[in-house]
Amino acid sequence: MKSDNMKNQYRVNEQIRVREVRIVGEGGSTVVPTRQALDMAREQGVDLVEISPNAQPPVCRLIDYSKFLYQQKRRQKEMKAKQVKVEVKEIRFGPQTDEHDYQFKLKHAKEFLEEGNKVRAYVFFRGRSILFKEQGEVLLLRFANDLEEFGKVESMPSLEGKKMFLYLAPKKAGVAKKSQQKRDNERREAEAKEAGRMMEEAEKPANGGLLANAKISAEALEKLTKSEED
């Protein structure tokens, strides 16, 4: 069926009924009457294939039609292979998931979204636990809020049978922005390392003797204190 659709996508030979066409090839392009183009195709033992019907005049190629269709199929296959495949990753909760398990699954969900995948989180209600459906909804809303930096909600929590689903899509495939808190933490860590390095240098004998060491230690202590205040 797909092959038939592709065949019907292009007009060939006598199906081309315009007055003139532009023929393109390795040597460039030229505009000729359609009858002349058909004669050229017959002389070369190929087909006249219309590849751009909306151009003025329509653009055609002199090529074997079967070969042309094969090239088109191969090009489509290559383009499809280059497309990023988005998978849907599942995260399952119970209505009374403990904090450790929640944080563990939250971490995996962040990784999935950072990789450009979608996340389908759901709470499974077993037996009488369906009585805690409000608790399950609160859990999923918290989950969405904790992942706000990495993904956007495609649909709010909804109950389907014994499962309540929440769908999240990545904000940007493969890339997630760092939160301000994370940037601040990284800055503090870098400053602490630098202060530690300065203190190590202060412990080494220096040309300035004890006075120079005391000065370096004071600078390191001041930097550490400022970092903690930030």
Side-chain angles (χ1 to χ4, degrees), residues 5-119:
N5 290 337
M6 185 171 286
K7 284 183 178 180
N8 295 331
Q9 186 177 349
Y10 303 96
R11 289 187 293 189
V12 186
N13 296 329
E14 303 298 338
Q15 296 174 349
I16 304 172
R17 302 181 184 279
V18 294
R19 185 171 61 85
E20 59 183 12
V21 296
R22 179 181 297 276
I23 298 178
V24 295
E26 295 180 358
S29 68
T30 181
V31 177
V32 298
T34 303
R35 179 53 55 188
Q36 181 181 342
L38 288 170
D39 291 340
M40 293 168 62
R42 276 192 291 268
E43 290 173 2
Q44 297 180 28
V46 294
D47 299 295
L48 181 66
V49 182
E50 186 182 60
I51 60 174
S52 184
N54 296 325
Q56 294 296 329
V59 178
C60 297
R61 286 184 62 188
L62 297 174
I63 189 174
D64 181 89
Y65 191 42
S66 298
K67 181 179 179 181
F68 173 77
L69 289 178
Y70 172 76
Q71 291 176 346
Q72 294 300 104
K73 289 178 184 177
R74 187 176 65 179
R75 188 176 292 110
Q76 289 181 6
K77 188 175 181 180
E78 290 174 352
M79 289 177 63
K80 188 176 180 180
K82 290 180 181 178
Q83 291 176 349
V84 178
K85 185 178 180 181
V86 177
E87 297 182 9
V88 179
K89 303 289 187 177
E90 283 196 343
I91 300 289
R92 172 177 169 168
F93 293 102
Q96 295 177 318
T97 299
D98 61 42
E99 184 63 22
H100 179 269
D101 191 33
Y102 174 84
Q103 293 297 333
F104 178 78
K105 292 177 178 179
L106 180 67
K107 178 184 176 182
H108 280 290
K110 288 179 181 178
E111 292 174 354
F112 294 149
L113 291 168
E114 284 181 319
E115 292 169 358
N117 298 307
K118 292 187 176 183
V119 171

